Amino acid sequence: MTEWNSSSRRSFLKASVTGAAGLALPAWSVTGGAPAIIAAEDERPQVLQGLQFGDPADGSVVVWSRSDRASRMVVEWSYDEQFSRVRRIAGPHAMEITDFTARQDIEGLRPGRDVFVRVSFQSLTSGRITSEPVTGRLVVPPAPVVDDEDRWRWREQTDLRFVWGGDTAGQGWGINPDFGGMRIYESMRQRRPLFFIHSGDTIYADGPIASSVVAEGGRTWNNLVTPQVEKVAETLDEFRGRYRYNLLDENVRRFNAEVPQIWQWDDHEVSNNWSDSKDLSGDARYSEKSVPLLIARGGRAFLEYAPMRPFDARESQRVYRSYDYGPLLELFVIDMRSYRGPNTANLQATPGDDTPFLGREHLNWLKARLGNSSALWKVVAADMPIGVNVADGATATGQARWEAVANGDPGVPKGRELEIAELLGDLRRHRVHNVVWLTADVHYCAAHYYDPARAAFRDFDPFWEFVAGPLNAGTFGPNALDGTFGPQLIFSKAPLPGQSNLSPYSGLQFFGEVNIAAYTGELTVDLRDISGASVFNKRLQPRLF
């Protein structure tokens, strides 16, 4: 895989770079032009949230940033850190309607190359008053497969590394400067991944953050606090404020400036375990009881702050998508939240209004894309695990109600399990091999091996599912497994019995790392703790025929 020179890298990130004046058309040029007008600091736009990279694919990446006022985004990029030859793009306007966030796609990037990026904002009151720039750097992932012959060229590729995890700033464990902030983001950055999958719960809109919390052992956890995180999020500004809060953390901003991200969402972007049928009438914390309205506000804030390439006008809030990273890897990012039916006992024997989890259109897309993939490894990024029992209280009749796929019944597929059975059976019939599932959600790390020989439903090929997280939230678990698809618990690291909601002080914060070796095709998964140390390692050999 591509490695960066550490001293060069540090000097780049610490360097004070003067913003270039003027707005040129996108073209290679030597940096220059008339100097910017010297203005009082309060007259200049401020770029307080840094920048983010997102959705790296096919020689392009999204550059995201935020101004503090109405202004125009200017993006410059180069293949050398001195920006001696730079392409400058006059980007979109950052306006109040998007909370002054803006994003710009940069294209035509060469696979495997280091790319240096700087972003500034020009005032709309005077085009010559420009913010101090913020800078970042990334490595361009491999190009997608072009033709059938590319499928067999994976031994000619370079190694791939990426990381994943979920659950940021949850259960009241926010940014603690005494602890060093969200330290796990620095540990992920130091692994030098090509990209990061945020597996959901990018914020905890339903979890107030207090200035201090009593942690395990009687220790005090001291949080940075802003007005928007002191209560549950209900207004659009409060949802937006949750994202701004996470970007106060230096570890997160430094990570964002180097590692392109691929976001998906889960429940806490709106409210715990939400679906259209969620009832907040008994929750005194909420004065706004309309869940659809909260979904609309939470979804808008997510799409404003996610460094994500918008889908298109057919479905403006679609987040499921796929990325082709050449012969070694294709990544499938799915959405287990937007198309689901209500949380129920999940025991329906046949498909109906209450059984969708992915939804028909989404499920058909996933089956087709997996079936047509020519990549050696097909990685499914899911926001929830398949065979883990995730409870959501009880129904009106006293039955257990379920939040995820599993229903606590180890027998034949029922309820939401029907869709998963259909998918797994389709993969077997079409001989789609080397499918690996990555997820988060349950706030501990684990490795599950799904074995048809031990399952009630047996029409599938064996596969692995790896669970990582939390990134900076309470640690819980482990949860029981449902036997329908035969999951075996190979490894887990979680609190001891009787313990729950452990703070980051406990060290039980986890992210996952995937390495794919080009010459052998071997895929290796490490589950790593808050310091970056591997607590579990599994090597998988590809099935070639």
Side-chain angles (χ1 to χ4, degrees), residues 232-304:
V232 297
E234 300 177 87
T235 69
L236 181 56
D237 182 62
E238 287 166 349
F239 281 106
R240 289 166 166 170
R242 290 282 172 163
Y243 294 96
R244 294 196 298 267
Y245 177 82
N246 290 354
L247 293 170
L248 292 174
D249 186 83
E250 293 181 2
N251 303 294
V252 171
R253 293 200 307 276
R254 187 162 50 243
F255 180 82
N256 292 349
E258 297 184 32
V259 183
Q261 302 182 57
I262 297 169
W263 281 24
Q264 57 193 152
W265 56 20
D266 195 25
D267 56 334
H268 292 286
E269 283 81 5
V270 177
S271 183
N272 185 48
N273 295 352
W274 71 264
S275 66
D276 278 343
S277 63
K278 177 82 173 182
D279 183 4
L280 292 174
S281 60
D283 193 332
R285 301 176 304 164
Y286 286 89
S287 57
E288 177 54 68
K289 304 296 186 181
S290 171
V291 173
L293 182 55
L294 294 176
I295 293 170
R297 291 170 178 168
R300 171 154 189 165
F302 174 92
L303 293 169
E304 288 172 343

Side-chain angles (χ1 to χ4, degrees), residues 351-372:
D353 293 341
D354 291 347
T355 60
F357 197 60
L358 300 176
R360 176 48 53 190
E361 183 176 344
H362 183 193
L363 178 60
N364 287 345
W365 169 87
L366 183 59
K367 287 162 53 178
R369 293 304 294 260
L370 282 165
N372 291 328

Side-chain angles (χ1 to χ4, degrees), residues 501-522:
N501 195 18
L502 299 186
S503 77
Y505 281 144
S506 71
L508 297 178
Q509 309 278 297
F510 305 101
F511 68 94
E513 176 181 305
V514 174
N515 286 276
I516 305 177
Y519 187 74
T520 65
E522 180 180 76

Side-chain angles (χ1 to χ4, degrees), residues 428-441:
R428 183 183 187 187
R429 285 188 293 278
H430 290 90
R431 299 182 180 180
V432 180
H433 305 310
N434 306 325
V435 179
V436 176
W437 291 69
L438 307 179
T439 189
D441 182 67

